Amino acid sequence: MSAASNDPKKRGKKRYAAGNRHGGKRWRGSRELEVGMQGILITCNMNERRCTAEAFNLLNEYADELFGPEKLQDNTASSSDKEEEEEDEEDVDLALKKEVAQLKTVKQERRFQSLDSGANNVIFIKTQNLESDKLVHRILSDLQATKKKKSRVILRMLPVTGTCKAFEEDILKYLTTFLEPWFKTPNCSTFQIAFKARNSSHNKREEIIKSVAGLVGKLNPKNKVDLTNPQLTIIVEVIKAVCCVSVVKDYALFRKYNVQEVGKEDAPKPDGIAAPADAIAAEKEEVDEDERTREEAKGGDGDWDRSDVKEDKKAADEDEGGGE
C-alpha cells in the first residue's frame, strides 16, 4: 500500500519539475523583465497582487493627466475586413495568422504591462510610448504637495529608462552613452549613485559605484559627488542578469522615491523620532536576504552613497537621512 501510494507522489514531483523547466522557457521573453525594456520598478510589502492593482490605478490616473487617455485599436473594422479577405482568398490558414498577429499588436499597444521582475516583493511595470521618469516624478510631486494617501502596499517607485546586461563591463559600456545627456560637457551636475542588487552576487557594490563615479568624472570633470543634496541621482538596480538604470531628480526630497514616506505630514522635531524608524522598517521589508548577508560580510561600503547600505540589526536604529 505504501509503495503504491508513494508512486503517484513521485510521478507528480517529476511532472512538476519537468513543467518548471519547460514552463520557464515558455514564459521567458514575454512575461519577464529583459534587456531592452523600459518601465517602472515597484517594491511592495509582501502583497504583489495588490501592489500591481494599486500601481495600475496610480499610473493610469497620472498618465491620463500627463499624456492623455490610452488609445486602443478598434477591432470591429478589422474583423469585417478579415471576412472579406477570407471570402476572396478562401485561405483559412492565412486568416488565422492575421488574426493572431492583430491580437498580438493589441497587447503590445497597452502602455502598462505587469511583468515578473525576478525578485520577491518587486514588480516591474513595462511602459510603452511614455517617459516613465517624468510620470513617476509627477506622482511623487503631487503626493508630497497634497499629502494624500493613494496606496497601501506600494513602497518605492523607481523609473527605469534603460536596461543592459548585469555585468560590470556591460554596465559601464552602456552608461558611457546613457549618461551623456546629463553629464557630458557642457552639461554638469552634482550627483550620487544609488546601487542595489537582488538575486545577483557577481557585482560588488563598492566597485560598481566607484567605476560609475569615475565614468561620470570623465564625461566632465566639473561633475561632483554630493551625498547631502545632489541635483541628480543615478539609480542602478540589478535583478538577476538585468541591470536597470535611470537618472532622477529630487531623490532626497522624495525620500528615495518612497510613496509612503513622501505622503506623510511633516512632523515637528520632538515627534519626528518615529519617522526614521518607519523609514528603516519600510526599507527592511524590501531587502533581499542574500544581499544583507553579503553587505554584512563586506563590513562597509565607503562614502559614495551611505543611505543605501544595509546595516545589520545593531545598526538599524541609526538615522541615515533621506537621500545621503
Side-chain angles (χ1 to χ4, degrees), residues 12-22:
K13 287 181 180 179
K14 287 179 182 178
R15 287 173 185 168
Y16 178 80
N20 274 349
R21 286 196 296 270
H22 297 298

Side-chain angles (χ1 to χ4, degrees), residues 164-230:
C164 63
K165 292 181 180 178
F167 295 97
E168 184 174 353
E169 57 271 20
D170 295 298
I171 294 173
L172 295 178
K173 183 180 178 182
Y174 183 79
L175 289 179
T176 301
T177 54
F178 178 83
L179 296 175
E180 286 183 354
W182 296 276
F183 298 106
K184 188 176 181 179
T185 308
N187 299 321
C188 68
S189 180
T190 58
F191 71 97
Q192 69 173 350
I193 300 164
F195 174 85
K196 185 174 180 64
R198 295 178 174 88
N199 297 337
S200 174
S201 58
H202 55 267
N203 286 310
K204 293 184 179 179
R205 184 177 183 277
E206 270 188 330
E207 294 179 3
I208 293 292
I209 289 178
K210 288 179 180 178
S211 298
V212 174
L215 176 62
V216 175
K218 288 180 181 177
L219 291 173
N220 188 342
K222 292 182 180 180
N223 295 319
K224 300 297 179 184
V225 174
D226 183 352
L227 302 179
T228 306
N229 189 25

Side-chain angles (χ1 to χ4, degrees), residues 42-248:
I42 302 176
T43 64
C44 62
N45 187 1
M46 303 297 291
N47 196 334
E48 294 183 19
R49 193 169 185 175
R50 183 169 181 175
C51 176
T52 303
E54 286 187 358
F56 278 131
N57 290 337
L58 200 59
L59 293 172
N60 277 306
E61 176 186 345
Y62 287 90
D64 287 348
E65 180 184 310
L66 276 178
F67 310 110
E70 184 178 14
K71 295 179 181 179
L72 297 175
Q73 277 189 344
D74 187 4
N75 286 336
T76 53
S78 61
S79 61
S80 60
D81 292 340
K82 278 188 290 181
E83 289 176 2
E84 292 176 3
E85 288 177 3
E86 285 173 6
E87 291 174 0
D88 294 339
E89 300 172 6
E90 296 182 355
D91 190 344
V92 179
D93 291 334
L94 182 61
L96 286 172
K97 286 180 182 179
K98 286 184 177 180
E99 186 175 356
V100 170
Q102 285 182 349
L103 288 173
K104 286 182 178 179
T105 56
V106 170
K107 285 183 180 179
Q108 290 173 356
E109 282 191 354
R110 298 310 300 261
R111 61 185 174 187
F112 299 120
Q113 299 176 47
S114 175
L115 305 182
D116 181 13
S117 69
N120 291 333
N121 299 326
V122 182
I123 64 171
F124 179 74
I125 304 293
K126 181 183 176 184
T127 60
Q128 204 159 25
N129 301 324
L130 58 84
E131 297 167 285
S132 60
D133 52 344
K134 289 185 178 180
L135 177 59
V136 173
H137 191 277
R138 175 72 183 99
I139 293 172
L140 293 168
S141 178
D142 187 61
L143 294 180
Q144 188 200 43
T146 62
K147 300 300 180 185
K148 288 183 179 178
K149 189 177 179 69
K150 294 192 175 183
S151 70
R152 288 182 174 272
V153 298
I154 293 175
L155 295 179
R156 299 174 72 198
M157 300 183 74
L158 300 174
V160 176
T161 53
T163 48
C164 63
K165 292 181 180 178
F167 295 97
E168 184 174 353
E169 57 271 20
D170 295 298
I171 294 173
L172 295 178
K173 183 180 178 182
Y174 183 79
L175 289 179
T176 301
T177 54
F178 178 83
L179 296 175
E180 286 183 354
W182 296 276
F183 298 106
K184 188 176 181 179
T185 308
N187 299 321
C188 68
S189 180
T190 58
F191 71 97
Q192 69 173 350
I193 300 164
F195 174 85
K196 185 174 180 64
R198 295 178 174 88
N199 297 337
S200 174
S201 58
H202 55 267
N203 286 310
K204 293 184 179 179
R205 184 177 183 277
E206 270 188 330
E207 294 179 3
I208 293 292
I209 289 178
K210 288 179 180 178
S211 298
V212 174
L215 176 62
V216 175
K218 288 180 181 177
L219 291 173
N220 188 342
K222 292 182 180 180
N223 295 319
K224 300 297 179 184
V225 174
D226 183 352
L227 302 179
T228 306
N229 189 25
Q231 294 170 309
L232 298 173
T233 296
I234 303 169
I235 294 176
V236 182
E237 292 266 339
V238 173
I239 303 180
K240 289 187 175 179
V242 181
C243 176
C244 304
V245 296
S246 61
V247 178
V248 300

